[in-house]
């Protein structure tokens, strides 16, 4: 329905665009689409974004809505956020809004804060080919990666510095027109993602654009244009040059978008997943089939929760994505004689340390992940009053969900998930009976004989 509406409006856009060839620069052909010929209405734009646009315009600066805000409205979707581009410098923007802060090193930006809504205001960027003279200007690394990009420029230059053509559309709130420098409107109609400029150069400048290609392809249901797609397979390893903290943020954007399963499959297709989760990728290739089932089921569940507007936590996501690598290492530790619990703890620490080299994991999440993993060993031990204690544990719910996930992926845990499901649905009396008759899962560990001298290692349970 939304798509049909967008299609009808598109016919109007096509027929109504004024083409102006830009004499000053032969790089782009500007199309200006008047209000009557496109579907964007001010009522679709959040009032904080409108306020920022108006205040910048009233202070005699140029200001446009740009990026995902324009793209998504043209596609009949609800934008996640609204980004604004202006010719005002960051300090000038900051001076206009008390409720703003200057952020970023690589890209200096201003965030204008309205309660929970953040409007990102970026100053038009210029070309970066000029030799870098100071820290304020563009610099690039030996791999062709842009380290800083704070050279300011014109609106046209800004458009051509953006990643995909469909992200380089500008909406003007003064006359309600859309400015299209890079043929983005046509690509929206074709539902195609196309990098602006030479794809390989653009990926080298910023390898995260490869992840963005996948994210937008799944989010928008677009295809990636052949020229834009081709270099990804060979350049995926450039992600190794990106700071781990930035990649953590990108993983969350990729996996918490509501299209995690599709995204995961596409990332693997382009050899990108292995760059983000190298240990998991190895286990998926070498390990049993149920590893892939577990990861995919976790992503299916994540997508479902997002659809139902239920909360999803990065800790659960990461605990699932790293489980195959964790289990393999745990088994290895056990088979070299370490008792199960310390074997699990050591494996957890190792897997997290290795992962943090690719994508960092903030402490608050890694602590929760470890607890969820350790609970997998504690959940089978539910006799006496242990079950009641476990249910009261702050990580019980997530750990129980994780247990179900393991069973869903084909791991045989002797009906443990069902036992916990029944336990939670029972009254106190029935719970006591269940606990009294609960047999611990699997054979009891043999008691270790006390060594005659000190220095004995003891397992924690
Ligand atoms: P969404 O907000 O829905 O994730 P978006 O397109 O708005 O999508 P943002 O990350 O909010 O993405 O960025 C806003 C705009 O900034 C983009 O549309 C694009 O024009 C530009 N941009 C962002 N990241 C890059 C990049 N790595 N290289 C070039 N341009 C970029
Ligand atoms: Mg955005």
């Amino acid at each position: 329905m939304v798509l049909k509406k967008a299609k009808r409006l598109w016919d109007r856009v096509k027929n109504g665009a004024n083409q102006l060839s830009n004499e000053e620069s032969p790089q782009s052909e500007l199309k200006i689409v008047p209000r009557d010929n496109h579907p964007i209405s001010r009522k679709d734009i959040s009032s904080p974004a409108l306020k920022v646009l108006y205040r910048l315009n009233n202070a005699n600066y140029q200001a446009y809505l740009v990026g995902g805000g324009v793209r998504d409205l043209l596609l009949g979707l609800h934008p996640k956020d609204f980004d604004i581009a202006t010719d005002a410098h960051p300090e000038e923007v900051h001076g206009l809004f008390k409720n703003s802060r200057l952020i970023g090193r690589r890209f200096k930006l201003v965030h204008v804060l309205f309660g929970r809504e953040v409007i990102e205001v970026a100053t038009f960027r210029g070309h970066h080919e000029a030799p870098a003279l100071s820290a304020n200007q563009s610099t690039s690394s030996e791999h062709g990666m842009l380290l800083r990009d704070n050279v300011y420029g014109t609106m046209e230059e800004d458009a051509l510095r953006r990643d995909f053509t469909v992200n380089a559309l500008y909406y003007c709130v003064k006359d309600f027109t859309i400015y299209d420098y890079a043929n983005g409107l046509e690509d929206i109609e074709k539902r195609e993602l196309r990098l602006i400029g030479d794809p390989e150069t653009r990926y080298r400048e910023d390898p995260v654009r490869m992840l963005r290609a996948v994210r937008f392809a799944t989010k928008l249901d677009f295809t990636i244009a052949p020229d834009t797609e081709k270099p990804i397979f060979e350049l995926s390893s450039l992600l190794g040059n990106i700071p781990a903290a930035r990649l953590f943020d990108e993983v969350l954007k990729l996996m918490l978008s509501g299209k995690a399963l599709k995204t995961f499959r596409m990332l693997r297709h382009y050899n990108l997943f292995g760059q983000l989760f190298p240990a998991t990728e190895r286990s998926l290739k070498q390990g049993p089939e149920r590893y892939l089932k577990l990861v995919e089921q976790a992503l299916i569940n994540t997508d479902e929760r997002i659809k139902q507007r239920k909360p999803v936590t990065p800790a659960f996501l990461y605990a699932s994505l790293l489980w195959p690598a964790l289990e393999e290492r745990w088994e290895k530790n056990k088979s070299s004689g370490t008792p199960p619990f310390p074997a699990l703890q050591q494996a957890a620490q190792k897997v997290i340390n290795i992962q943090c080299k690719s994508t960092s994991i903030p402490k608050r999440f890694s602590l929760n992940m470890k607890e969820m993993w350790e609970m997998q060993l504690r959940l089978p031990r539910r006799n006496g009053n242990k079950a009641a204690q476990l249910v009261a544990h702050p990580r019980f719910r997530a750990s129980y969900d994780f247990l179900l996930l393991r069973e869903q992926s084909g791991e045989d845990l002797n009906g443990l998930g069902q036992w916990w499901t029944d336990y939670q649905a029972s009254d106190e009396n029935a719970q006591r009976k269940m606990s009294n008759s609960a047999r611990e899962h699997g054979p009891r560990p043999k008691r270790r004989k006390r060594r005659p001298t000190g220095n004995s290692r003891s397992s924690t349970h």
Side-chain angles (χ1 to χ4, degrees):
M1 169 71 192
V2 173
L3 281 180
K4 258 193 191 156
K5 191 177 158 205
K7 176 82 185 95
R8 270 203 310 277
L9 291 161
W10 268 106
D11 293 336
R12 278 161 53 196
V13 170
K14 255 193 323 191
N15 301 331
N18 296 327
Q19 283 209 3
L20 303 182
S21 78
N22 193 321
E23 280 165 21
E24 277 173 31
S25 162
Q27 291 189 69
S28 67
E29 202 170 68
L30 173 62
K31 288 191 199 80
I32 301 177
V33 185
R35 171 64 190 100
D36 287 349
N37 295 321
H38 68 73
I40 296 184
S41 146
R42 265 177 307 170
K43 71 173 178 2
D44 302 324
I45 302 169
S46 78
S47 70
L50 289 173
K51 266 190 205 152
V52 175
L53 288 167
Y54 287 135
R55 191 171 306 172
L56 283 164
N57 282 163
N58 290 340
N60 284 327
Y61 294 112
Q62 293 182 59
Y64 301 90
L65 192 67
V66 68
V70 182
R71 178 197 68 216
D72 291 356
L73 288 179
L74 288 171
L75 289 164
L77 303 170
H78 289 290
K80 179 165 76 55
D81 48 39
F82 290 98
D83 303 295
I84 287 172
T86 178
D87 61 351
H89 283 202
E91 291 73 17
E92 294 171 324
V93 178
H94 185 45
L96 277 179
F97 297 95
K98 267 203 244 119
N99 51 328
S100 72
R101 56 174 191 225
L102 278 162
I103 60 148
R105 234 165 62 87
R106 202 169 146 274
F107 295 106
K108 254 196 204 168
L109 298 167
V110 179
H111 276 177
V112 190
L113 313 167
F114 296 85
R116 292 182 65 185
E117 185 166 349
V118 179
I119 305 296
E120 193 165 286
V121 185
T123 305
F124 292 151
R125 287 195 207 283
H127 294 299
H128 57 84
E129 281 85 4
L133 298 175
S134 77
N136 280 335
Q137 300 200 325
S138 301
T139 52
S140 57
S141 76
E142 52 177 318
H143 309 284
M145 197 164 87
L146 277 183
L147 302 177
R148 280 199 197 83
D149 195 9
N150 284 326
V151 178
Y152 302 126
T154 63
M155 178 172 165
E156 185 197 8
E157 285 168 341
D158 184 77
L160 302 178
R161 294 288 312 120
R162 290 181 180 272
D163 48 5
F164 301 97
T165 60
V166 296
N167 286 347
L169 295 163
Y170 296 71
Y171 172 81
C172 174
V173 80
K174 279 199 286 196
D175 58 8
F176 317 125
T177 51
I178 291 176
Y179 291 72
D180 176 8
Y181 288 94
N183 244 354
L185 291 171
E186 201 179 303
D187 285 335
I188 286 213
E189 196 194 4
K190 286 202 240 163
R191 304 186 76 82
E192 207 164 41
L193 278 173
R194 189 183 318 281
L195 270 175
I196 299 170
D198 171 55
E200 182 167 340
T201 312
R202 302 306 310 283
Y203 287 136
R204 285 188 183 279
E205 279 174 6
D206 183 4
V208 168
R209 289 173 186 149
M210 294 184 274
L211 299 178
R212 290 174 61 85
V214 171
R215 181 155 71 84
F216 294 131
T218 55
K219 168 180 164 152
L220 307 171
D221 232 339
F222 274 30
T223 52
I224 306 179
D227 285 1
T228 297
E229 178 185 43
K230 207 168 144 242
I232 302 181
F233 299 97
E234 272 128 56
L235 300 180
S236 59
S237 65
L238 292 177
L239 283 175
N241 302 323
I242 302 295
R246 184 170 176 216
L247 289 185
F248 175 76
D249 291 344
E250 291 300 323
V251 165
L252 296 193
K253 284 189 211 162
L254 285 159
M255 297 301 181
L256 303 180
S257 64
K259 298 273 180 84
L261 179 66
K262 210 170 149 196
T263 300
F264 166 73
R265 289 181 175 168
M266 202 182 273
L267 287 173
R268 287 195 87 202
H269 172 72
Y270 290 117
N271 304 331
L272 291 165
F273 184 77
Q275 297 297 322
L276 298 171
F277 293 91
T280 305
E281 181 60 36
R282 259 194 310 277
S283 302
L284 291 178
K285 286 209 176 99
Q286 299 163 5
E289 235 172 73
R290 68 182 162 81
Y291 285 168
L292 181 62
K293 270 198 188 157
L294 181 134
V295 168
E296 294 210 334
Q297 190 60 50
L299 300 177
I300 291 168
N301 298 351
T302 304
D303 289 344
E304 190 54 35
R305 288 182 72 89
I306 288 173
K307 206 162 129 199
Q308 296 173 1
R309 295 175 184 273
K310 288 186 183 165
V312 281
T313 83
F316 194 93
L317 176 73
Y318 262 73
S320 320
L321 287 171
L322 294 178
W323 178 260
L326 175 89
E327 201 191 285
E328 275 198 343
R329 196 164 279 274
W330 182 24
E331 289 303 327
K332 213 167 107 193
N333 290 351
K334 279 192 292 189
S335 61
S336 64
T338 316
F341 198 76
L344 179 67
Q345 286 180 312
Q346 286 163 20
Q349 197 52 55
K350 186 86 185 171
V351 165
I352 287 172
N353 288 349
I354 292 174
Q355 181 58 32
C356 282
K357 290 185 190 151
S358 310
T359 79
S360 61
I361 309 174
K363 258 251 153 59
R364 63 187 187 284
F365 300 133
S366 60
L367 286 175
N368 285 358
M369 287 160 62
K370 281 190 221 164
E371 281 183 322
M372 279 167 52
W373 286 338
E374 286 170 16
M375 284 281 269
Q376 301 308 302
L377 250 186
R378 295 172 65 192
L379 288 173
R381 296 153 199 273
R382 61 226 126 102
N383 53 347
N385 57 3
K386 281 188 197 143
Q389 284 170 1
L390 286 173
V391 171
H393 191 285
R395 225 57 62 216
F396 172 77
R397 183 70 213 190
S399 308
Y400 159 72
D401 284 343
F402 198 84
L403 186 79
L404 297 184
L405 178 66
R406 288 169 62 200
E407 286 188 336
Q408 269 180 306
S409 72
E411 201 175 340
D412 182 5
L413 298 172
N414 287 341
L416 189 58
Q418 190 58 49
W419 190 93
W420 279 109
T421 307
D422 296 341
Y423 181 85
Q424 292 172 83
S426 304
D427 63 24
E428 241 178 84
N429 258 340
Q431 285 186 339
R432 212 169 300 124
K433 270 193 204 146
M434 285 179 79
S435 298
N436 288 338
S437 59
R439 288 253 339 244
E440 292 194 358
H441 169 67
R444 271 171 173 280
K446 284 193 186 116
R447 275 184 170 271
R448 296 168 70 87
K449 277 192 182 158
R450 281 189 83 109
R451 295 186 189 177
T453 50
N455 214 8
S456 68
R457 280 189 300 158
S458 66
S459 100
T460 21
H461 67 287

